[in-house]
Amino acid sequence: MGNIVKKSFPVLNMHCAGCANNVEKTVRKLTGVVEASVNFATNTLIVSYEGGQLTPGEIRAAVLAAGYDLIIEESHKEKRQEEEQHKHYVRLKRKVIGAWIFVVPLLLFSMVLMHMPYSNEIQLVLTIPVMILFGGSFFTGAWKQLKLGRSNMDTLVALSTSIAFLFSLFNTFFPGFWYNRGLEPHVYYEASAVIIAFVLTGKLMEERAKGNTSTAIRKLMGMQPKIARVLRNGVEEEILIDQLQVGDLVVVRPGEQIPVDGELSEGDSYVDESMISGEPVPVEKKKGDKVLAGTINQRGSFIIHAAQVGMETVLARIIRMVQEAQGSKAPVQRIVDRITSIFVPVVLGIAILTFILWIVIGGSEYISYGILSAVSVLVIACPCALGLATPTALMVGIGKAASQHILIKDAVALEQMRKVDIVVLDKTGTLTEGHPTATGWLWAQPQQMHFKDVLLAAEMKSEHPLAGAIVSALQEEDIKPATLESFESITGKGIKVSYEGHTYWVGSHKLLKDFNAIVVDIMTDMLVQYESDGQGIIYFGRENQLLAIIAVSDPVKATSAEAVRELKRLGIDICMLTGDGQRTALAVSSRLGIERFVADALPDDKAEFVRELQLQGKKVAMVGDGINDSQALALADVSIAMGKGTDIAMDVAMVTLMTSDLLLLPKAFELSKQTVRLIHQNLFWAFIYNLIGIPIAAGVLFPINGLLLNPMLASAAMAFSSVSVVLNSLSLGKK
């Protein structure tokens, strides 16, 4: 495999789920394409291809040949797509108004003035503009698909209206053909025109409703400022956001949105980061502190040294991730796609069979019934409702999650979450604040001046979350780090270093045992007290001597206990994993109401525990910081990272909770269940609609009660089915 490029392109001129399938098939056939997926609800193509074999221009050329178009320009593509969609909506609105201007008098002549002289000819004149001016796109679209050997909604509309129109045209100019056979020559011009008017109206309502499903993305994009103020050659000037470069000095005034990711090089202020991190309290920023694009400067003016601009900022990554997630396909959608791809040919077959059966069973006097029934079958069986059922629900669900600071990587993650039986929670930084402080020091040996120097130097090199607490405490005492001779990290246990020929070590009680150091009796009672209070214990020693015990407190988050209760209410079991000792783990788990926990857990132990649960048939969600728990996260059925601003593990986890509030966790599971339930509802009604509608349109009720579905009603029902699916999806956003 060469250089695999993954791109997202807005697609233009798609009318239905069949169109989406056609674009997908076209792109997949191109040499160099690894994977291609088209989402009809978002009008987006996501394609992975080998950069050395294919270019965006070549992909667009293939799509153009299939009758559609792509926006391949990287700059302002979302804006251009929005503009194109708005233009399409305006054109559609004009077509709808124009069509109904002709259809209303046409209905008057067909239902009230049908016996008036030249009534048929007047209806013909009123129908032609509707078919050519306002419904012409259906016929050109159907012709393009026919040349490619494919079909879509245009095929059904063009066929049904053409049959009704041509039959009526024949009866208008050759009525004697039927009179000679003792039959009345009826015309159905109104059916052709009303079908087009209703389909256009349905598409207009559908486009308007679909636009509401992308509200969350528009809100995220609204966080991106359009103008930036930069210092160049000592002069302050305003430029477009696209013209920013890494290294620029960006001036931000009070109340303005920050346009780049970078560091403060001058000034200080408080910044509202709630739109990114979810934390409501403004954060103080001083020289050297990092700031993020989209956040809001509240007080002072400052200058930022730009580190990431444009598509590389955290906000841009979040927007891109949500867009890709909304455009991804749930496993159930793959089945729907296969059904949709054969749907139109099957419907054509049913329509032909319907016409034949009417003639075979009823004879020549039922030929007009046969034509009407075949037309009704073609009209009522549009696959749009099926095509919209899954993607619209996903768009609303994933968009709603993003607005609540829950980033869901793709549709598979969303679907997997509802199956979770047990949530495995890491303690530090997940259940606790993740901001530990050193609260107690017990020295087993008389202190020597260099002990703290060595301890500081060792912990400054450590990546363990608790190391920062000791570093902060020692730096407050103005301790200076010693110059170490060697450093070694011992996974899951701690670290050891060399200083002046001696080996020093810092870590858990497992490291204490490895060095055969002993906790003297006089310290044991205090140690038990620390652990019973839920505090973590760090041991510091030299060779086989214990030098000190340090108690580190990492307070439990205010929302952790409530989050645990909410998860239990959802029927999910909970387990806590921690590297702390048994007494500390017991104290924390008891406080939170967690019955099951594993103490003294090394990274391998956490991964093995997840594997054991899966062997028991459990669906496991692992919640951690995305780094220390990477093994367990990789193994879990659903991996959930606790995000912290720029440290969010978006590339690691399937789901990222961007705020430290653990109550987002039950919300994420609840939202997953609601979204998947909505998908199933939409698919149920879309399938049921066709299963019931097609036989009725074919005329199965005619022998029982004389009911024959008029093609005009069939077109109205078809339009309503698509709109109802989208509106049902939008209901999730209001819950």
Side-chain angles (χ1 to χ4, degrees):
M1 279 291 194
N3 176 34
I4 301 298
V5 180
K6 187 176 184 181
K7 292 271 189 180
S8 172
F9 300 114
V11 187
L12 305 178
N13 307 327
M14 289 197 303
H15 308 303
C16 67
C19 295
N21 274 322
N22 289 337
V23 174
E24 197 170 287
K25 285 178 182 176
T26 299
V27 175
R28 280 184 174 170
K29 286 180 179 178
L30 295 175
T31 304
V33 169
V34 179
E35 181 57 49
S37 174
V38 176
N39 188 311
F40 176 48
T42 59
N43 294 322
T44 304
L45 162 70
I46 297 175
V47 57
S48 297
Y49 62 93
E50 292 193 46
Q53 293 191 36
L54 200 60
T55 66
E58 290 170 332
I59 297 172
R60 185 185 178 217
V63 172
L64 277 168
Y68 309 96
D69 197 1
L70 291 183
I71 297 173
I72 60 173
E73 297 83 2
E74 284 298 322
S75 59
H76 304 297
K77 67 178 180 182
E78 287 86 5
K79 185 180 179 182
R80 192 184 156 199
Q81 182 184 24
E82 194 172 326
E83 288 173 353
E84 291 291 341
Q85 286 174 340
H86 178 69
K87 288 178 185 175
H88 173 64
Y89 181 81
V90 171
R91 285 195 300 269
L92 203 52
K93 192 173 182 179
R94 287 173 183 160
K95 285 182 178 181
V96 168
I97 294 170
W100 283 108
I101 287 173
F102 284 90
V103 164
V104 170
L106 178 60
L107 288 172
L108 182 67
F109 274 97
S110 66
M111 295 181 178
V112 180
L113 305 174
M114 70 283 282
H115 299 301
M116 176 181 165
Y118 301 106
S119 174
N120 288 357
E121 286 78 4
I122 293 170
Q123 290 181 53
L124 170 62
V125 170
L126 289 170
T127 303
I128 288 173
V130 177
M131 295 188 70
I132 295 175
L133 295 178
F134 310 117
S137 59
F138 295 120
F139 298 95
T140 55
W143 176 245
K144 286 178 182 177
Q145 295 307 310
L146 181 63
K147 287 193 292 183
L148 293 168
R150 296 175 185 167
S151 55
N152 61 4
M153 186 194 76
D154 290 345
T155 309
L156 296 179
V157 174
L159 252 178
S160 57
T161 54
S162 297
I163 290 168
F165 179 80
L166 292 173
F167 181 67
S168 302
L169 192 66
F170 180 85
N171 290 354
T172 300
F173 292 105
F174 303 103
F177 178 85
W178 300 107
Y179 285 131
N180 295 336
R181 289 163 176 75
L183 299 172
E184 187 74 21
H186 297 290
V187 295
Y188 301 101
Y189 291 118
E190 82 284 356
S192 297
V194 172
I195 286 170
I196 288 172
F198 266 129
V199 172
L200 288 172
T201 304
K203 296 305 291 180
L204 183 71
M205 294 170 66
E206 183 185 301
E207 286 296 321
R208 188 171 179 178
K210 275 168 64 179
N212 292 333
T213 62
S214 45
T215 303
I217 276 289
R218 283 201 298 273
K219 284 182 180 176
L220 285 171
M221 287 179 172
M223 296 177 191
Q224 296 176 306
K226 305 293 184 289
I227 301 291
R229 200 176 288 107
V230 297
L231 277 176
R232 289 181 178 169
N233 301 318
V235 179
E236 189 176 305
E237 58 179 282
E238 286 190 352
I239 62 171
L240 292 173
I241 199 81
D242 296 334
Q243 297 171 348
L244 279 169
Q245 298 175 1
V246 173
D248 274 340
L249 293 176
V250 182
V251 181
V252 183
R253 294 172 182 169
E256 292 182 342
Q257 283 183 313
I258 296 170
V260 295
D261 290 357
E263 291 184 0
L264 260 63
S265 64
E266 189 179 314
D268 58 76
S269 182
Y270 281 84
V271 174
D272 179 2
E273 296 185 335
S274 59
M275 62 287 298
I276 300 290
S277 67
E279 305 293 351
V281 181
V283 181
E284 185 179 7
K285 298 292 182 180
K286 297 177 181 177
K287 185 176 178 179
D289 289 342
K290 291 182 179 180
V291 291
L292 302 175
T295 58
I296 300 172
N297 177 26
Q298 292 207 319
R299 295 187 186 176
S301 179
F302 52 73
I303 298 174
I304 305 167
H305 183 268
Q308 282 91 32
V309 299
M311 298 302 291
E312 299 306 313
T313 64
V314 168
L315 178 60
R317 288 175 62 207
I318 291 171
I319 291 171
R320 195 158 59 244
M321 178 181 172
V322 175
Q323 285 178 319
E324 288 182 2
Q326 289 183 328
S328 63
K329 292 189 177 183
V332 67
Q333 180 65 20
R334 311 285 177 185
I335 302 168
V336 176
D337 285 348
R338 285 197 290 271
I339 294 171
T340 306
S341 65
I342 62 167
F343 193 84
V344 174
V346 168
V347 169
L348 289 173
I350 293 172
I352 293 168
L353 182 63
T354 298
F355 176 72
I356 292 170
L357 285 174
W358 272 99
I359 305 305
V360 169
I361 296 171
S364 59
E365 64 266 27
Y366 281 95
I367 191 167
S368 54
Y369 286 172
I371 289 174
L372 281 180
S373 297
V375 168
S376 295
V377 168
L378 290 171
V379 172
I380 204 167
C382 174
C384 286
L386 275 175
L388 288 167
T390 300
T392 52
L394 285 174
M395 280 187 73
V396 176
I398 291 171
K400 184 179 180 181
S403 69
Q404 295 180 351
H405 303 287
I406 303 165
L407 293 184
I408 298 172
K409 199 165 191 177
D410 56 29
V412 176
L414 190 74
E415 195 162 34
Q416 282 282 79
M417 284 176 71
R418 76 181 183 95
K419 302 175 184 176
V420 167
D421 303 308
I422 184 166
V423 172
V424 178
L425 297 160
D426 177 51
K427 181 180 82 71
T428 305
T430 302
L431 291 166
T432 63
E433 293 286 355
H435 304 296
T437 54
T439 53
W441 296 74
L442 295 177
W443 287 93
Q445 304 291 333
Q447 285 190 54
Q448 296 181 27
M449 289 300 295
H450 68 271
F451 281 176
K452 287 188 176 181
D453 300 350
V454 173
L455 179 59
L456 176 59
E459 290 292 61
M460 285 177 74
K461 291 179 177 289
S462 173
E463 295 180 354
H464 195 279
L466 300 184
I470 297 174
V471 170
S472 297
L474 293 175
Q475 285 178 337
E476 285 178 10
E477 296 181 32
D478 289 328
I479 303 296
K480 303 300 179 187
T483 303
L484 304 176
E485 295 160 5
S486 68
F487 172 89
E488 182 185 345
S489 176
I490 305 168
T491 305
K493 296 181 180 180
I495 55 177
K496 67 177 181 178
V497 299
S498 294
Y499 177 73
E500 293 185 348
H502 292 285
T503 299
Y504 292 82
W505 47 269
V506 191
S508 69
H509 70 280
K510 290 189 176 182
L511 203 56
L512 179 86
K513 290 178 181 177
D514 287 350
F515 281 92
N516 296 315
I518 299 170
V519 180
V520 294
D521 292 341
I522 196 169
M523 302 176 74
T524 303
D525 291 342
M526 199 64 206
L527 178 62
V528 170
Q529 182 62 51
Y530 283 145
E531 290 183 323
S532 299
D533 289 341
Q535 299 191 58
I537 303 297
I538 295 176
Y539 298 89
F540 174 44
R542 180 178 63 183
E543 271 92 36
N544 63 352
Q545 279 187 315
L546 175 65
L547 298 179
I549 292 174
I550 305 138
V552 178
S553 175
D554 187 8
V556 170
K557 290 175 185 173
T559 56
S560 290
E562 188 180 349
V564 168
R565 286 195 297 272
E566 283 296 303
L567 288 171
K568 287 181 176 179
R569 184 184 63 79
L570 294 173
I572 299 172
D573 292 331
I574 302 161
C575 179
M576 182 185 80
L577 299 183
T578 177
D580 289 332
Q582 188 76 14
R583 279 191 291 264
T584 301
L586 179 60
V588 173
S589 62
S590 299
R591 193 178 308 166
L592 295 173
I594 299 173
E595 292 81 16
R596 190 174 181 182
F597 66 86
V598 177
D600 299 322
L602 301 175
D604 287 344
D605 298 330
K606 293 179 181 181
E608 185 57 36
F609 181 73
V610 169
R611 191 180 288 109
E612 286 175 8
L613 289 173
Q614 289 171 327
L615 290 173
Q616 295 169 20
K618 305 281 188 183
K619 289 287 182 183
V620 183
M622 174 70 195
V623 188
D625 60 15
I627 301 168
N628 295 339
D629 307 297
S630 56
Q631 286 177 263
L633 283 165
L635 273 174
D637 298 290
V638 178
S639 52
I640 303 173
M642 301 296 294
K644 296 175 184 175
T646 54
D647 296 325
I648 50 178
M650 290 188 290
D651 296 327
V652 178
M654 298 164 76
V655 181
T656 302
L657 308 181
M658 293 186 62
T659 169
S660 59
D661 185 358
L662 201 62
L663 277 174
L664 288 184
L665 190 58
K667 281 184 183 177
F669 284 110
E670 187 68 40
L671 196 56
S672 165
K673 289 180 179 179
Q674 288 175 351
T675 306
V676 175
R677 190 185 306 128
L678 194 67
I679 290 171
H680 291 163
Q681 283 176 5
N682 284 349
L683 288 174
F684 172 80
W685 289 114
F687 276 114
I688 288 296
Y689 163 83
N690 280 297
L691 285 174
I692 295 174
I694 291 175
I696 291 175
V700 294
L701 295 179
F702 186 79
I704 302 169
N705 55 16
L707 178 65
L708 193 64
L709 188 65
N710 189 292
M712 294 185 292
L713 292 176
S715 61
M718 182 272 285
F720 175 74
S721 69
S722 297
V723 175
S724 63
V725 162
V726 180
L727 292 177
N728 190 40
S729 297
L730 286 172
S731 68
L732 177 63
K734 298 172 185 175
K735 291 180 181 177

